[in-house]
Amino acid sequence: MADVNIKINGRDFAVPAGSTILDACRLCGIRIPTLCFMREINEIGACRICMVEVKGARSLVAACVFPVNEGMEIFTNTPKVIESRKTTLKLILSTHNKTCLQCVRSGSCELQKLCQEYGIENEDEFAGAVPNTHVDDTAVHMIRDNSKCVLCRRCVAVCDKNQGCAVIGPNNRGFDTEIGCNFNLDLASVACISCGQCINVCPTGALHERDDTQKVFDAINDPEKIVLVQTAPSVRVGLGEEFGNPIGTIVTGKMVSAIRALGVDKVFDTNFAADLTIMEEATEFIRRYTQKDNLPMFTSCSPGWIKFIEYYHPDMLPHLSSCKSPQGMFGATAKTYYAQKIGVDPKNIYVVSVMPCSAKKFEAQRPEMSAAEGCPDIDVVLTVRELARMIRKAGIMFNELPDGEFDAPFGLGSGAGTIFGATGGVMEAALRTAYEVLTGEELKELEFTDVRGTQGIKEATYNIAGNEIKVAVCSGTANADKLVRMIKSGEKNYDFVEIMACPGGCVNGGGQPIQPAYVRNNVDIRAVRAAALYRDDENLPVRKSHENPDIKAVYAEFFGEPGGEKSEEILHTHYTPRTRYTVK
Amino acid sequence: MVKKISEVAFRDTPEQAARFEKVIAENKHDKSRLMAVMQEAQDIYGYLPSEIQIRIAEGMDVPAEKVYGVATFYAQFALSPKGKYAISVCLGTACYVKGSQQVLDKICETLGIEPGSCTADAKFSLDACRCVGACGLAPVMMINDEVYGRLSPDDVEGILAKYE
Ligand code: SF4
Ligand code: SF4
Ligand code: SF4
Ligand code: FES
């Protein structure tokens, strides 16, 4: 696009025509503060923190939505601008529950940071009536505390535009405006899929995951309990950010050492269970493909997606793979095979999952997730953020730790397991195995690049052993909704479809470290984290699930064969149709 | 003011249902007609019962939270039906200075409901309103078309008892 000439604070610049003032200034090295702005999904110009002066304009303008034009003269930090931003902040503070000392977001809060930057010396200048808000702690995965809400509506935008759920929105008007659900129902009573995407975009402490760290500390201190920790593929690429590492840093070794230092008994790799999932899922797919049984088959490793299809397209449930998610397969295997192997009552085995995901908290408490009589497969799920909190609380100096190794016998994961963390990864992993099973030949080119990348919907056709297999890969449940509707109408047809609830897959899960909007708006964190996982895959000695020696052992010693009777009983599950809307 | 959701059980006649379904059928392909549909539904039912908001959401393929958000944002939409006897207490300046707030409070207390809502048996609904043009009689309330003036909280129980 052609450039236009503008002046910023008296200096000349040429910037692409059509840019907003916000983007133009950024290109010229000036960061304008934002609060409500989220690129593409929440460009509503509502919060007024980004105001700047434009020569000739009657009043200050909102930089996030105002486009530049030829000859425009912009001033970003005049006394008038600074005064306006300070007033905006003080007005927000006048109704804000300012309890930073006990707030989960203190230190990573965008409001707190802005108040520091602008030197708000009197936070009570506009003190007065405060709206009547309440805390919604009904959901398994998260808490909403509207006394800390700044009404930026970022959560509303992701829930609607990215997740296709729209279970939250602004209710009432004026002073009484509050983000909530229809009919003022609590979050547990509406079709929320527990994805946690709203938490990741909230600038303040109004939304946060339910903190289950104390349960884990208690289990560690209980001499009766054998505490096993599993870490999901994408935790290794997220966790480092909590300790100041750049986005996309793989910290597998330090993560293992840190968890071990917390005093748990064993540290295992969910990548092992991801390989197990591939063995089961590829086998199921080959059977269903041959028998033309409810195609396309949908993957079932994303519990946010499972909840989505249960609520929004219950008629499509027969299309879901019956495989438990990797975390579920791990828990089930730990409480059956491993309990037997070490001769311990499964009731004394305490399984902790560290996940990039808040929906896994919901999955863990599903009654059907219980392979050993009377025991849940998973005892507690921690998000990456909670694990980091435990590490800090325990005084473990994360960045100084030596690299540790996972414990046997679930310590080995293939590269196929690692890439589960990125959208397209499960499909690629399944294809690597399905190809070799179907053709009996060695797969030379391991990279299925058509299914990589962060686009919401990707399609490809692969010729495997004379079969044209049509696949699709989709992330973000709003895209899933679109795809499912096209499948239902007959506009699209596929054999195998991978769906992840979070845009970009688990690397961008609702339990990953929070990056502020000014980072998210300018860096595609999904792509950077995913690229790191693909590099990790390339460097691993085993890159196909069926070649993982730990997997071979667990089938030889316990499960027999993929899709066999024992694995059907322990590693597979069933689903529950749910009603999207209720009155009470 | 935050609107209260009615506790009156939702009932509709076959005739109302047919009219409502026709409105949905005529508008379902155009989401921009949401507010118009909500208005027509309210004309049919007298208010927007939660059950009807859900049917609008499903019929128009719009999330129920959006319907509810619109219903609670615009003053024209009611979440509670009018009772058999609709009470309306004036909180205009003249009435207010003569103590209409205390009258309103007394009614709330007697009926166990808040302004903007309706008793569970659908007998009384209660609203606060602005000037009814009878300032000389302040404080004033109306029950259906009947005007009561120069009220004190002590009058409330006696007046309500007249409505059976
Ligand atoms: S949300 Fe931010 S400003 Fe508010 S209490 Fe928490 S840390 Fe402080
Ligand atoms: S967890 Fe997901 S579905 Fe639930 S409110 Fe947040 S964004 Fe919406
Ligand atoms: S809950 Fe958080 S993201 Fe949602 S509107 Fe409030 S401050 Fe913004
Ligand atoms: S108005 Fe520009 S960031 Fe909110």
Side-chain angles (χ1 to χ4, degrees):
Chain A
M1 213 183 285
D3 279 357
V4 293
N5 300 300
I6 60 171
K7 267 191 186 0
I8 301 177
N9 301 334
R11 290 159 63 209
D12 291 313
F13 294 98
V15 295
S19 317
T20 59
I21 295 179
L22 179 72
D23 286 340
C25 288
R26 188 174 173 276
L27 285 175
C28 306
I30 290 187
R31 181 170 66 79
I32 292 173
T34 58
L35 209 40
C36 65
F37 178 75
M38 288 220 82
R39 196 175 297 287
E40 279 165 22
I41 62 168
N42 205 41
E43 305 184 347
I44 58 176
C47 76
R48 315 318 269 177
I49 198 72
C50 64
M51 302 308 264
V52 295
E53 248 185 293
V54 169
K55 193 170 172 185
R58 270 189 298 124
S59 53
L60 300 181
V61 303
C64 66
V65 288
F66 207 88
V68 292
N69 50 46
E70 183 62 35
M72 186 182 256
E73 291 185 44
I74 302 159
F75 302 91
T76 65
N77 61 353
T78 61
K80 195 170 161 192
V81 165
I82 302 299
E83 216 29 63
S84 155
R85 290 183 191 159
K86 285 176 85 164
T87 304
T88 301
L89 287 171
K90 285 184 213 163
L91 284 170
I92 292 174
L93 292 178
S94 72
T95 56
H96 190 82
N97 176 13
K98 302 173 279 289
T99 46
C100 296
L101 283 180
Q102 64 195 59
C103 186
V104 58
R105 289 296 298 277
S106 193
S108 70
C109 170
E110 293 179 37
L111 175 61
Q112 191 186 51
K113 184 161 185 285
L114 285 168
C115 290
Q116 284 164 350
E117 279 174 7
Y118 286 90
I120 300 299
E121 60 294 322
N122 180 5
E123 57 185 41
D124 290 325
E125 189 170 330
F126 300 130
V130 292
N132 224 336
T133 58
H134 73 292
V135 175
D136 183 347
D137 63 357
T138 57
V140 179
H141 65 296
M142 69 178 279
I143 315 286
R144 168 181 286 282
D145 178 356
N146 276 348
S147 71
K148 297 192 176 177
C149 173
V150 299
L151 294 171
C152 67
R153 304 184 188 196
R154 282 156 46 169
C155 58
V156 175
V158 283
C159 187
D160 179 13
K161 301 205 174 119
N162 291 356
Q163 302 311 101
C165 297
V167 292
I168 45 173
N171 293 334
N172 312 320
R173 73 183 293 165
F175 189 70
D176 294 315
T177 307
E178 196 180 357
I179 307 296
C181 307
N182 56 308
F183 317 142
N184 262 330
L185 293 171
D186 52 46
L187 208 49
S189 311
V190 299
C192 160
I193 63 167
S194 309
C195 65
Q197 285 296 309
C198 52
I199 305 174
N200 283 27
V201 299
C202 182
T204 71
L207 302 181
H208 59 89
E209 63 287 335
R210 182 179 292 279
D211 187 307
D212 289 314
T213 56
Q214 194 53 46
K215 290 185 190 161
V216 181
F217 280 123
D218 291 347
I220 292 170
N221 290 323
D222 181 344
E224 299 263 282
K225 294 259 183 297
I226 299 184
V227 180
L228 313 183
V229 177
Q230 58 163 328
T231 60
S234 65
V235 177
R236 67 207 66 202
V237 70
L239 184 62
E241 291 168 35
E242 286 279 345
F243 300 96
N245 293 284
I247 300 170
T249 309
I250 300 268
V251 293
T252 318
K254 294 195 187 332
M255 169 183 80
V256 172
S257 299
I259 297 172
R260 194 163 282 138
L262 287 171
V264 310
D265 295 288
K266 298 280 177 197
V267 192
F268 291 131
D269 196 352
T270 312
N271 288 17
F272 159 83
D275 285 333
L276 196 53
T277 304
I278 287 303
M279 299 303 289
E280 293 296 324
E281 202 158 35
T283 308
E284 182 184 359
F285 173 67
I286 293 169
R287 179 188 64 73
R288 285 173 55 166
Y289 180 77
T290 332
Q291 300 174 353
K292 299 279 168 257
D293 171 11
N294 281 305
L295 297 178
M297 181 174 103
F298 293 128
T299 58
S300 56
C301 2
S302 164
W305 152 241
I306 299 299
K307 226 177 155 190
F308 185 84
I309 185 170
E310 287 178 337
Y311 271 124
Y312 297 81
H313 296 284
D315 54 322
M316 296 297 275
L317 285 174
H319 289 262
L320 272 183
S321 157
S322 62
C323 290
K324 287 182 179 173
S325 71
Q327 90 147 349
M329 287 203 182
F330 178 89
T333 307
K335 296 214 175 169
T336 55
Y337 165 73
Y338 187 69
Q340 200 177 309
K341 194 178 165 85
I342 61 169
V344 167
D345 182 347
K347 293 201 170 61
N348 287 331
I349 293 191
Y350 195 85
V351 174
V352 178
S353 305
V354 183
M355 294 287 136
C357 177
S358 55
K360 297 253 166 44
K361 288 187 190 265
F362 181 86
E363 181 188 37
Q365 49 89 58
R366 282 174 179 261
E368 64 272 23
M369 299 296 270
S370 167
E373 189 64 33
C375 298
D377 291 345
I378 313 292
D379 292 280
V380 67
V381 176
L382 298 178
T383 58
V384 181
R385 300 187 289 267
E386 289 164 273
L387 173 62
R389 217 169 284 150
M390 288 185 74
I391 294 171
R392 280 193 287 267
K393 200 172 194 176
I396 296 163
M397 296 165 74
F398 186 84
N399 291 321
E400 327 264 293
L401 290 170
D403 285 345
E405 298 272 347
F406 285 110
D407 290 302
F410 311 129
L412 218 105
S414 73
T418 294
I419 60 174
F420 259 61
T423 168
V426 176
M427 179 60 71
E428 182 166 342
L431 289 170
R432 288 180 190 175
T433 290
Y435 180 90
E436 297 200 350
V437 172
L438 282 171
T439 61
E441 291 163 16
E442 195 195 327
L443 177 67
K444 295 272 162 19
E445 180 84 43
L446 261 60
E447 289 77 18
F448 290 80
T449 44
D450 297 336
V451 294
R452 295 186 176 186
T454 55
Q455 310 94 278
I457 299 177
K458 294 165 280 188
E459 303 176 295
T461 303
Y462 295 105
N463 189 312
I464 301 179
N467 301 298
E468 290 283 317
I469 297 183
K470 281 196 262 181
V471 307
V473 167
C474 173
S475 70
T477 36
N479 290 320
D481 186 57
K482 223 190 283 171
L483 194 74
V484 170
R485 285 175 191 237
M486 289 192 290
I487 291 168
K488 279 187 184 173
S489 74
E491 191 183 334
K492 293 275 183 191
N493 68 81
Y494 307 103
D495 301 308
F496 193 10
V497 178
E498 177 205 297
I499 299 186
M500 293 291 156
C502 295
C506 310
V507 288
N508 187 33
Q512 289 283 23
I514 289 175
Q515 288 292 346
Y518 56 86
V519 172
R520 295 178 73 104
N521 283 332
N522 298 307
V523 179
D524 188 350
I525 55 176
R526 302 166 302 175
V528 181
R529 289 178 185 159
L533 288 183
Y534 284 115
R535 280 197 303 276
D536 203 42
D537 162 40
E538 259 171 50
N539 295 329
L540 286 170
V542 179
R543 295 183 65 196
K544 298 169 203 154
S545 301
H546 57 284
E547 290 178 353
N548 178 344
D550 282 358
I551 291 289
K552 291 183 186 164
V554 81
Y555 278 105
E557 285 176 35
F558 189 69
F559 285 122
E561 53 177 13
E565 205 178 309
K566 204 158 197 175
S567 35
E568 282 294 329
E569 185 195 317
I570 294 174
L571 303 177
H572 291 253
T573 185
H574 56 270
Y575 308 105
T576 317
R578 296 175 196 269
T579 312
R580 179 169 177 187
Y581 296 130
T582 44
V583 173
K584 270 263 153 39
Chain B
M1 197 159 53
V2 178
K3 292 183 194 178
K4 289 277 165 329
I5 298 174
S6 164
E7 278 168 27
V8 179
F10 168 68
R11 256 181 244 107
D12 66 350
T13 62
E15 189 243 329
Q16 283 174 317
R19 274 173 70 197
F20 173 74
E21 291 309 329
K22 188 158 168 275
V23 172
I24 295 289
E26 282 167 3
N27 294 285
K28 63 197 268 180
H29 298 295
D30 183 1
K31 289 185 190 171
S32 71
R33 298 275 302 154
L34 177 64
M35 274 186 70
V37 168
M38 289 170 67
Q39 187 60 58
E40 289 190 52
Q42 177 159 297
D43 293 344
I44 295 169
Y45 293 101
Y47 71 115
L48 287 173
S50 300
E51 289 80 356
I52 288 300
Q53 292 183 50
I54 290 176
R55 279 158 70 185
I56 294 174
E58 289 169 344
M60 303 284 291
D61 194 14
V62 168
E65 164 48 34
K66 268 188 198 160
V67 178
Y68 182 73
V70 169
T72 54
F73 185 86
Y74 292 99
Q76 78 212 54
F77 295 117
L79 300 187
S80 195
K82 288 280 169 269
K84 184 168 170 212
Y85 305 113
I87 310 171
S88 152
V89 180
C90 179
L91 290 185
T93 317
C95 286
Y96 190 83
V97 295
K98 293 246 172 147
S100 62
Q101 183 67 53
Q102 285 82 335
V103 173
L104 181 64
D105 291 346
K106 180 70 188 184
I107 300 174
C108 292
E109 190 194 311
T110 313
L111 297 177
I113 56 172
E114 289 179 53
S117 62
C118 182
T119 53
D121 60 5
K123 194 163 145 196
F124 291 105
S125 59
L126 176 61
D127 283 292
C129 66
R130 295 291 155 197
C131 192
V132 295
C135 306
L137 294 176
V140 171
M141 76 170 174
M142 292 179 72
I143 300 184
N144 291 349
D145 295 329
E146 196 91 26
V147 179
Y148 295 87
R150 303 223 166 80
L151 291 168
S152 86
D154 294 341
D155 301 328
V156 165
E157 280 177 25
I159 295 173
L160 294 181
K162 291 200 299 189
Y163 291 84
E164 271 315 321

